[in-house]
Each structure stands twice: as structure tokens, then as C-alpha cells.
């Protein structure tokens, strides 16, 4: 017998979350498949506070129960994120699947989460006792392990309003729709005065969580395009050396070869 | 377009689209109103072992444990041979081999009981390697001409081995059967199936009863593709034995993982081809075919026969020596899947011809064209191609649709950059109807029409609607012949208590063979039509006069009365960064004779072609060193979606068969057969002219080649 709670407000939802052993349920696209027995669900898809996309001075704030289809149609959502959303599953899944659910499922294959890593997104987590803002990479503690307390809910995803314009995104699945990523890559480059001031290169679906090698990224920061070009070989071989992939549905050799080529494609796109 | 080809709304469209169709899992109660017990199989977890015993947990009231000891008659399911047990004997022969069935009212409790059973095994060495397997269930040899002399005289010789993998039918509805004991001591068995009379034939032997004591009904069936040719006989016998023991209706519906891992699939194959070439022509082929049969022989004999008869392709090869074996391994028994042995050998022969052409420095398509069979030529089994071979016109049709020859030349130039293109072609046939003398000697189809007093007519035949449209096309033929509106003619799912044995729903035979019986029956009925009376007419199969008798012991004669033909071209673009391949276009010209409803036929062509493309590219299934199939879910075993081949163009080319209804030939299987050859040939071109030898050729294989070749 499935027990369910369908609160009308976030406050009500948090009260139930604090008092009961419940599984937060937004679109249900993972949970319906799992079909666990004896679970009580906390249905979140109708809570207005979780259903909004807003913009403030620095951030685009996406409610945890916003669906992928809704975000895809919203031009305020960074294009790199919308590129990733367009490749998720198929329309029916995108109509139900949510940002909060993609995070809460804890998978390193979650396509929206990869972009959040690449953009250094932050999450707003709320409970009856208050809220905290956590960078997405700190939220992921390991495979299917999240820094989410048993009385907390994911409320919002905070994406930077700007700074993502120079990006490269690619998902490699086993087919063109309804495919779990075998490798997904999101890279962002920020230039100021002809110098690279920030670079992120995030790899999804290859390890327990999304993978970023911050030291390696630093190798190109502060450089001009010409200087970066000169350092490219060392940069790529660093990744070749340090990218450690877990075993997956397809071979690690394949996925590693693809990772390195996509990293290269990212650099090529910006003349490096 | 001929009148008969005009599309109508399928008779089963409304109930299926509205969700009103009742599938076997939908029944709330049995016919009698009784509660249905759930059956679940206890399956072997080892590939090869002696079963010393099973520790069965204490069974709650109303729960049953059913195994081989409960089989009232013979513990053998009749398929081709009788080696497939209902429940395992002393040994288990593959992972998934059924040991017992647990039955009871609550599905969760049944599941718990299955998990609580402890099977005590003595492990035996499993045979898992197809190349090394020694035991052949079937070992056939045939040939013609003087192969040794041809090789001795050859300018050049070639020796290559080709490999193909599993393919699962992935019907939407998994396997499911139900058995209901009847008041008179009979047994009513129904479910998802293709061949009611196969199940009907298997039951009496297992239940030790007279054939009249069983009857079999095909429920609405959510796809078969060959996968529901033999397996329903096995599952049907299991639920019938269980129902007998429980004294209650028992239903067993497999879940998807169980279905993917434990039911029949396309045989993996290993084909070695040796070719002799003299003056630019192939003068001899020596072919060694191995099909992985799995743990029991099931349908392997007939799949292998069809495969090896097609092994020389659509080419006139004067000298042939062939050996084909169905090798026993300790893996799931393989069986029927659309194409039935043909896709494996056509892949091999198409690649072989391609490789020889490349080595000789000539275009593969031109090389193939120079070897094409034509009307009057001898077949591989020294039968005849009695009717025109339309391949040249079909090649032109495909060329016109996609600029095949021009693109082929263009893409053979050196390519650079991230994306590389290729286009490949395959030429093939599908022998229409049962292989050999099966129609005459084994099936002996009978079909009937029953006219009611109100002037409506019912088709009485045993062929099952499995999505291919028989509930519509059979009535179309009868209505056309009788000059009646289509609404006046009906065809329901067959029940062996009501319909004669018009044979199984297999081998692309239903429309061509049974459809013609119905056309003749309708003509007969028309001649003797009397208004207001109930009338019945019957037609029996008779072999066409022109046939050269087929002898299976010698593999000689006409294996098929006629052939359906196919020409495919597939154009690809390989992403050298990801190994992913985009299909720019897939073009097929198909000759299935007169289409009895164009939309249905085009639907069959598109669906089959796409399945073939999946088989060639992404559908990868293998077992590990223990014999276990790991890709047993839809997130691991990927089949193409609508988004995967957006540009699929199927064209019809009509070469009528005078013995088929209005000129129709077999259609269902043809479109799958040629895809692997065309796809992998295209991949060879995109990858800079490498020689490839296996299908599926996946993104991983592509990346492997890119890395090795430094592309």
C-alpha cells in the first residue's frame, strides 16, 4: 500500500518531511520505475513555491519542481542548460521530470546536474528550521550519497545569469532518444581582455559523481588563446592521465576516448 | 494501384487504440468466474549443473510447487524434436532453465516463495564458446559443382569469418499464458502466441490426454516477430501442468527481465567463407555455418535450414560446398525471429562479396550485379528461380531515391574532419513460405469460410493477428472475391475448438498460402451462394505444379516456390569524436508481390527495416563467462526509437506471384534481412575502407576502429 501526502504549500510539505519518513516525489519518472513497496511519498509537483523560475541580480533561480519542458521553453534559462534538457529521454519524460528530481536521484548520469556542475550552480535547501545554500559539487558526497538532511527539501537551483555564453555541450547516449548518457560533457570558457579567466570542463556518467579536474582546468586560466594553444598538449595529457572512469555499461576505454575527444572539441570551438 | 491494395482502417484498430483489447494479463477471473492463480518459474542460476534437489519452503494453504514429477504424460514439449522438457530433468542446460513453477493466489507471496527455494546443484562444465562447441544438434551438408577443381583453377582465393550477435524480438507484450481446467476434464489454454495448433499439438502428450480434451485460443497478442512461435508451447505446457495439479486456473506472465534473459532470440552465428575467383568472377564458395542453438534444439533445425539455403546470397555461384551446424551450448535456446536464419548468412555473403570486390579494385555493387541470379537459374539447392528476378529494376529504384552510385563513388574518396560518410548496399531475398516440402508434408493447411444466414461471412483459420494485419487482410481478400463490403466479413482470434488447422503464423506464409486458400474458398462460395442460408466451404493446400520436389536429406529441389526480394541502401555519417553514427537515410526497395493493403505493407517494411538497422548497429546482447545475459533490461538492451532513423524510405516493387492471392507473396520477414549488410558496408566506407566482419557494429566498435586506424 502506498501512502502519499499531497501538501499544498512548501510550509506544509516541510512539516510532513520533518515528522514522517517520506520520499520526496516530484515528477516520479525514476520513482515510478523503482516501484518500491511500503514507501510513503511526499508529492511536491503542485507546490507553487517550487514551481517558479525567477531571476535576480546574479542568478536564474529554478524551482525544484519545475519540469524540463517548462525550463526548455523559458528563454531566461541559460542555453547550455536548455541544450542538455533537450537531450533528456523523450517528451513524455521531460513533461514530468524535474530539476529537483534529477538532483535527488543522486545519479552521475543526470543530464541537468552535469550543467549545474559546469556552471558552479548552488542549491537552496530548506527545512522548518531554516535554509542553507550549498554548491552543487558539495551536495554530491559520492555515489547516490547526497548532503540532504532527512527534514530538508531541495527548493531551488541557482544558476549564474551570465558567464556561460562560451560553452560546449554534448551528450553521447546509446541512441537518439530515451537513452541514458554514456558520456556527457559540458565545458564553459570565460574570457576577459583576451585572457581566459575561468574554465570548467565537467564529465558526466563516467564516475560516481560528475567529474571535474580543477587543477587541470587551472592550467589554462590566465592564458591568452595563443598561450592556451601552446599548453594544449600538456592539458590534454593531464586529463588522459588523471581522468579515472568507473566501469559502466560500455567499456571504460570507449568512454575515456570519447571524453578526451570532446574535451578537444571544446577547445577547438574556441580556437584553442 | 489495384483495388485490393487500397488501405482500409484495420479491423483491430479501434479496440487496440482505445485500450479495450483484452490481453492475457488483463483477465480478472477465469472463464468459470474462479480466481486465477499466479504462476512463477523457479529458474536455474547455473548454465550447466545436475540438480540434486530443491529445498522448498513450507507452502501456505492454497500454494503449490509444480515440477517434472507432476507432468501427467511425457515431460517433453513437442517443437521440432522433443528434447525440450516442460520442467528440467536431472540437469539444467542454461541459466533460466525452468526447474519448477510456484503457484498461488497472491503474486507477492508466490514471488517470495520462488526466492525462498534453495536449489542444490552439482556444477558441470558449461559449453559457452560457439567456435569451440563440439556437439551439433543438426549438421547438414550440401553443394553442387566441383568446388575443389574451382579452387585449383582459381586466380585468387579468399578466406574470411563473419560473426553476428543475439537479437531479441522485444515485442511490447511479454510472453504470457494461462490454463483453465474445464468441467468435462478438458484443458483450455490461451495467451499471447502465434501458433495455436503448435500449442494444441504439444499439450495432449504432456497432459496424457486425447487431443479433443484440449483447446487453445490466441488472446490479443502484443507482437511476436517469431518470438511467440515456439515459446508459448513451452509456457503453455507449464501452466497446463500447473493448472492440472492445482485444480485451478493458472496464469504465468513473464516480466521484462525474465523475458529478455530466458526466452528465445535470434541465433548468434559464426560463418566462415572461402571463395575462389577466376577472371574476376566468384567460381566457388565453401561455406561453414555455425549457429548457436543454446541448450535445447527447439526450432534450430528449421532456422539453420533457411540460413544455409540462403548462404550463397542472390548470386549465381557454379560451385558450392556447404556445411551448417546448430551447435549446442549451455545458453538460452534460440529460435525464430523475423528473417529466421537469413539475416546471419546474408550478412556474411554480402560482406564477402564486398571484400572480394574491394580487393579486386572494382565497385562492390557492380561486382554483385555481375553475379546476380535471373529467372531460370538454379538455386543453391538445384531448384529453379521460376519467376523473374526483379533485382536490377529495384537497384535502379533505390539509386533514383538516394543517388546511390554517385554517393558510393564520392564517399570512397579520402575523407578528413570530424564527420565521415559512407553508403552501403545489400541485395537479398526471403524464400516465401515454409522451407522445403513443409507445406505439403507437414502443414497441409485447411481453411474454411462460414456464411451465416444474414449474409455475413466468417473466416475460419488458425493464423494469429500479431500486428501484421491478418484480421484485416484475410477479410479483404474474401470480401473482394465475394464482392461484399468489408464489414460483412470478419476474422477473429483463432480457437482450435472452432477453426481448422491452417498452419502456424510463421515464415511469411499466412497471407500468401492461407490467403490464397481463402480466395479460392471465397470463389467457391460465390459459385454456390444461396441467400438466407448458412453455408460452409473448405479449401485444402495443394502444391503448385511447377515445383521441383525438395528432399531434405539431399538439400535438393525447390526450397521455396517463390521469393520476395529486397534491395537496401543505408547512408551513414560517423562522428569520429564519439563513435556515434547518424543514419542520414535508409532506403529500401521491397518486392512482396501485390500489396494486400498498401499501408499495412509499408508499415511492415518500415518496422522490419528499422529492426534490421537496430540489429546491425545498437542491439548488443551477450552472455558473460558464466553464461549469464547481463543486458536484460530496456536500459541495457537498446532498440531503435523513432528518433533514430528519421529518414526511412520504403518503396514497393511489384513482381506478382501467380499462386498467391492477387499476386501477393510473403512480406513480413523480408525487410529485416538485408540491413546488417548495407549498414556495415556503409561503415566500412565511412571508416576509410576498412574490412569489417561483425554485426552489430556498435559505437564502441567504431571508436575501437578509429583509434586503431588513427582516423
Amino acid at each position: 500500500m502506498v501512502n502519499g501526502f499531497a501538501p499544498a504549500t512548501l510550509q506544509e510539505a516541510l512539516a510532513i518531511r520533518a515528522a514522517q519518513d517520506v520520499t520526496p516525489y516530484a515528477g516520479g519518472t525514476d520513482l515510478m520505475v523503482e516501484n518500491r513497496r511500503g514507501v510513503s511519498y511526499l508529492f511536491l509537483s503542485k507546490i507553487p513555491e517550487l514551481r517558479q523560475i525567477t531571476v535576480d541580480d546574479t542568478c536564474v533561480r529554478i524551482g525544484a519542481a519545475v519540469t524540463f519542458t517548462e525550463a526548455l521553453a523559458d528563454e531566461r534559462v541559460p542555453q547550455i542548460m536548455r541544450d542538455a534538457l533537450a537531450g533528456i529521454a523523450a517528451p513524455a519524460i521531460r513533461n514530468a521530470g524535474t530539476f529537483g528530481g534529477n538532483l535527488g536521484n543522486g545519479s552521475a548520469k543526470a543530464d541537468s546536474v552535469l550543467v549545474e556542475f559546469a556552471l558552479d550552480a548552488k542549491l537552496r535547501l530548506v527545512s522548518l528550521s531554516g535554509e542553507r545554500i550549498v554548491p552543487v559539487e558539495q551536495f554530491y558526497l559520492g555515489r547516490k550519497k547526497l548532503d540532504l538532511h532527512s527534514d530538508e527539501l531541495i527548493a531551488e537551483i541557482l544558476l549564474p545569469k551570465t558567464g556561460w555564453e562560451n560553452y560546449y555541450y554534448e551528450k553521447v547516449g546509446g541512441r537518439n532518444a530515451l537513452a541514458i548518457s554514456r558520456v556527457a560533457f559540458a565545458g564553459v570558457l570565460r574570457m576577459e581582455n583576451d585572457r581566459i579567466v575561468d574554465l570548467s570542463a565537467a564529465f558526466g556518467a563516467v564516475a560516481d559523481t560528475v567529474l571535474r579536474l580543477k587543477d587541470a582546468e587551472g592550467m589554462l586560466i590566465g592564458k591568452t588563446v595563443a598561450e592556451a594553444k601552446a599548453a594544449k598538449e600538456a592539458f590534454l595529457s593531464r586529463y588522459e592521465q588523471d581522468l579515472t572512469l568507473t566501469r559502466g555499461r560500455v567499456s571504460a576505454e570507449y568512454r575515456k576516448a570519447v571524453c578526451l575527444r570532446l574535451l578537444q572539441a571544446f577547445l577547438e570551438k574556441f580556437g584553442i | 494501384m489495384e483495388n485490393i491494395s487500397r488501405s482500409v482502417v484495420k479491423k483491430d484498430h479501434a479496440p487496440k487504440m482505445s485500450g479495450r483489447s483484452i490481453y492475457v494479463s488483463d483477465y480478472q477471473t477465469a472463464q468459470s468466474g474462479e480466481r486465477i492463480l499466479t504462476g512463477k518459474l523457479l529458474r536455474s542460476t547455473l548454465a550447466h549443473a545436475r540438480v540434486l534437489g530443491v529445498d522448498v519452503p513450507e507452502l501456505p494453504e492454497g500454494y503449490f510447487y509444480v515440477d517434472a514429477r507432476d507432468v501427467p504424460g511425457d515431460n517433453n514439449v513437442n517443437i521440432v524434436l522433443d528434447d525440450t522438457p516442460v520442467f528440467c530433468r536431472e540437469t539444467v542446460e542454461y541459466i533460466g532453465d525452468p526447474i519448477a513453477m510456484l503457484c498461488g493466489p497472491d503474486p507477492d507471496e508466490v514471488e517470495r516463495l520462488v526466492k525462498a527455494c534453495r536449489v542444490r546443484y552439482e556444477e558441470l562444465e558449461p559449453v559457452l564458446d560457439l567456435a569451440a562447441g563440439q556437439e551439433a544438434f543438426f549438421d547438414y551438408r550440401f553443394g553442387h559443382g566441383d568446388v575443389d577443381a574451382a579452387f585449383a583453377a582459381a586466380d585468387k582465393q579468399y578466406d574470411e569469418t563473419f560473426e553476428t550477435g543475439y537479437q531479441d524480438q522485444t515485442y511490447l507484450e511479454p510472453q504470457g499464458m494461462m490454463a483453465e481446467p474445464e468441467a468435462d476434464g478438458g484443458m483450455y489454454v490461451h495467451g499471447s502466441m502465434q501458433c495455436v495448433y503448435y500449442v494444441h499439438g504439444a499439450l495432449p502428450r504432456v497432459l496424457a490426454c486425447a487431443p479433443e480434451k484440449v483447446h487453445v485460443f490466441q488472446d490479443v497478442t502484443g507482437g511476436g516477430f517469431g518470438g511467440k512461435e515456439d515459446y508459448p508451447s513451452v509456457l503453455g505446457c507449464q501452466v497446463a501442468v500447473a493448472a492440472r495439479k492445482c485444480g485451478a486456473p493458472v496464469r504465468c506472465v513473464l516480466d521484462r527481465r525474465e523475458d529478455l534473459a530466458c526466452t528465445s532470440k535470434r541465433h548468434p552465428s559464426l560463418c566462415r567463407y572461402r571463395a575462389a575467383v577466376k577472371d574476376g568472377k566468384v567460381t566457388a564458395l565453401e561455406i561453414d555455418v555455425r549457429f548457436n542453438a543454446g541448450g535445447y534444439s527447439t526450432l534450430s533445425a528449421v532456422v539453420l535450414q533457411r540460413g544455409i539455403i540462403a548462404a550463397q546470397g542472390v548470386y549465381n555461384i557454379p560451385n558450392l560446398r556447404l556445411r551448417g551446424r546448430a551447435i549446442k551450448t549451455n545458453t538460452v535456446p534460440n529460435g525464430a525471429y523475423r528473417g529466421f536464419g537469413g539475416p546471419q548468412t546474408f550478412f556474411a555473403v554480402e560482406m564477402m562479396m564486398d571484400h572480394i570486390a574491394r580487393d579486386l579494385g572494382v565497385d562492390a555493387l557492380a561486382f554483385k550485379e555481375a553475379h546476380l541470379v535471373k529467372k531460370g537459374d538454379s538455386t543453391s539447392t538445384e531448384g529453379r528461380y521460376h519467376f523473374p528476378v526483379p533485382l536490377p529494376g529495384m537497384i535502379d529504384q533505390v539509386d533514383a531515391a538516394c543517388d546511390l552510385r554517385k554517393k558510393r563513388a564520392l564517399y570512397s574518396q579520402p575523407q578528413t574532419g570530424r564527420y565521415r560518410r559512407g553508403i552501403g548496399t545489400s541485395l537479398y531475398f526471403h524464400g516465401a513460405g515454409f522451407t522445403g516440402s513443409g507445406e505439403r508434408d507437414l502443414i497441409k493447411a485447411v481453411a474454411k469460410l462460414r456464411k451465416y444466414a444474414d449474409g455475413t461471412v466468417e473466416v475460419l483459420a488458425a493464423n494469429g493477428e500479431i500486428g501484421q494485419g491478418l484480421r484485416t487482410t484475410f477479410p479483404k481478400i474474401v470480401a473482394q472475391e465475394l464482392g461484399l463490403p468489408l464489414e460483412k466479413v470478419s476474422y477473429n482470434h483463432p480457437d482450435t475448438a472452432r477453426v481448422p488447422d491452417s498452419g502456424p503464423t510463421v515464415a511469411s506464409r499466412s497471407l500468401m498460402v492461407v490467403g490464397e486458400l481463402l480466395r479460392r474458398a471465397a470463389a467457391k462460395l460465390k459459385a454456390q451462394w444461396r441467400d438466407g442460408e448458412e453455408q460452409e466451404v473448405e479449401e485444402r493446400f495443394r502444391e503448385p505444379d511447377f515445383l521441383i520436389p525438395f528432399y531434405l536429406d539431399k538439400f535438393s529441389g525447390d526450397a521455396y516456390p517463390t521469393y520476395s526480394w529486397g534491395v537496401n541502401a543505408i547512408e551513414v555519417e560517423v562522428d569520429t569524436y564519439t563513435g556515434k553514427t547518424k543514419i542520414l537515410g535508409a532506403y529500401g526497395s521491397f518486392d512482396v508481390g501485390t500489396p494486400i493493403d498498401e499501408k499495412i505493407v509499408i508499415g511492415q517494411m518500415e518496422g522490419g527495416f528499422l529492426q534490421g538497422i537496430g540489429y546491425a548497429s545498437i542491439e548488443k546482447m551477450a552472455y558473460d563467462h558464466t553464461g549469464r545475459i547481463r543486458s536484460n533490461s530496456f536500459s541495457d538492451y537498446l532498440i531503435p526509437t523513432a528518433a533514430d532513423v528519421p529518414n526511412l524510405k520504403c518503396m514497393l516493387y511489384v513482381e506478382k506471384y501467380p499462386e498467391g492471392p492477387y499476386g501477393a507473396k510473403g512480406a513480413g520477414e523480408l525487410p529485416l534481412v538485408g540491413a546488417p549488410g548495407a549498414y556495415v558496408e556503409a561503415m566500412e566506407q565511412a571508416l576509410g575502407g576498412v574490412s569489417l566482419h561483425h554485426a552489430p557494429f556498435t559505437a564502441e566498435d567504431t571508436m575501437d576502429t578509429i583509434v586503431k586506424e588513427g582516423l
Side-chain angles (χ1 to χ4, degrees), chain A residues 163-218:
Chain A
W164 48 262
E165 292 78 6
N166 294 328
Y167 72 88
Y168 183 92
Y169 174 80
E170 187 143 355
K171 165 178 173 149
V172 181
R175 63 184 166 200
N176 294 338
L178 291 169
I180 296 166
S181 290
R182 290 173 167 176
V183 175
F185 175 83
V188 177
L189 191 72
R190 207 149 59 77
M191 307 281 296
E192 264 170 33
N193 303 324
D194 295 331
R195 287 194 182 271
I196 299 167
V197 293
D198 208 356
L199 180 145
S200 67
F203 300 87
V206 297
D208 288 347
T209 62
V210 173
L211 220 54
R212 270 183 71 178
L213 304 182
K214 293 257 169 111
D215 288 353
E217 288 175 2

Side-chain angles (χ1 to χ4, degrees), chain B residues 63-339:
Chain B
Y63 289 79
F64 300 86
Y65 175 88
V66 185
D67 70 8
R69 293 166 297 183
D70 299 307
V71 176
D74 245 8
N75 184 27
N76 298 310
V77 183
N78 176 260
I79 299 175
V80 173
L81 302 183
D82 298 320
D83 60 323
T84 309
V86 183
F87 296 107
C88 80
R89 307 184 185 94
E90 301 80 47
T91 61
V92 283
E93 300 294 328
Y94 65 97
I95 290 178
D97 204 349
I99 296 167
M101 183 178 273
L102 278 293
C103 301
D106 177 10
D108 289 343
E109 179 62 9
V110 172
E111 174 105 38
R112 188 190 69 76
L113 291 169
V114 169
K115 285 187 177 142
C117 285
R118 288 283 159 270
V119 183
R120 284 172 281 115
Y121 298 103
E122 177 194 329
E123 252 189 282
L124 302 169
E125 192 62 36
V127 176
L128 298 173
D129 183 2
L130 174 58
Q134 294 295 314
E135 187 184 345
F137 285 125
F138 307 97
D139 187 348
Y140 301 125
R141 293 166 198 262
F142 68 92
H144 53 252
D146 189 341
V147 171
D148 294 331
F151 271 94
D155 303 331
K156 283 200 150 189
Q157 296 188 18
Y158 299 85
D159 186 345
E160 297 189 20
T161 299
F162 303 93
E163 200 177 348
T164 61
Y166 274 130
Q167 186 182 23
D168 191 89
Q169 298 88 352
T170 57
Y171 24 67
L172 267 176
E173 182 204 22
Q175 303 272 2
M177 293 291 287
M178 180 162 156
E180 308 185 22
E182 294 187 306
D184 63 352
M187 187 67 74
Y188 170 45
V189 176
H190 59 102
S192 188
M193 68 182 85
Q194 295 177 211
C195 313
V196 279
Y197 271 99
Y198 277 2
V199 180
H200 187 270
L203 286 167
R205 177 163 181 180
V206 166
L207 295 177
C209 69
E212 307 79 61
K213 285 291 186 188
V214 297
H215 70 115
V216 179
F217 174 68
Q218 183 213 14
D219 284 310
V220 177
T221 295
F225 308 110
K228 291 171 186 168
E229 176 173 347
D230 63 342
Y231 193 80
S233 297
V234 179
L235 193 57
C237 286
Q238 288 162 344
V239 288
V241 168
R244 179 67 81 224
K245 176 164 184 178
C246 301
V250 173
R251 169 172 56 199
C252 180
V253 177
L254 306 193
D255 70 32
R256 184 61 68 178
R257 284 173 188 272
E258 186 180 15
D259 195 301
L260 279 169
C262 306
T263 70
S264 73
K265 274 160 258 307
R266 190 182 306 292
H267 293 71
S269 74
L270 205 56
C271 296
R272 182 177 175 195
Y273 273 62
R274 287 184 61 232
V277 172
K278 172 97 179 150
D279 301 328
K281 292 281 283 272
V282 178
T283 52
L285 284 175
E286 176 157 13
I287 304 170
D288 184 77
V289 173
R290 281 172 170 256
F291 279 3
N292 186 339
Y296 300 107
S297 71
T298 60
L299 288 167
S300 289
V302 272
V303 174
L304 179 64
Q305 288 163 20
R306 188 178 278 275
I308 59 180
I309 287 167
Q312 75 171 42
V314 295
Y315 308 114
N316 205 336
I317 309 292
N319 304 290
L320 172 75
R321 185 187 292 142
L322 193 143
R323 182 177 188 192
R325 278 171 283 184
I327 302 292
K328 175 177 174 159
T329 63
N330 293 107
T331 59
V332 60
N334 292 308
Y337 185 173
R338 202 174 201 169

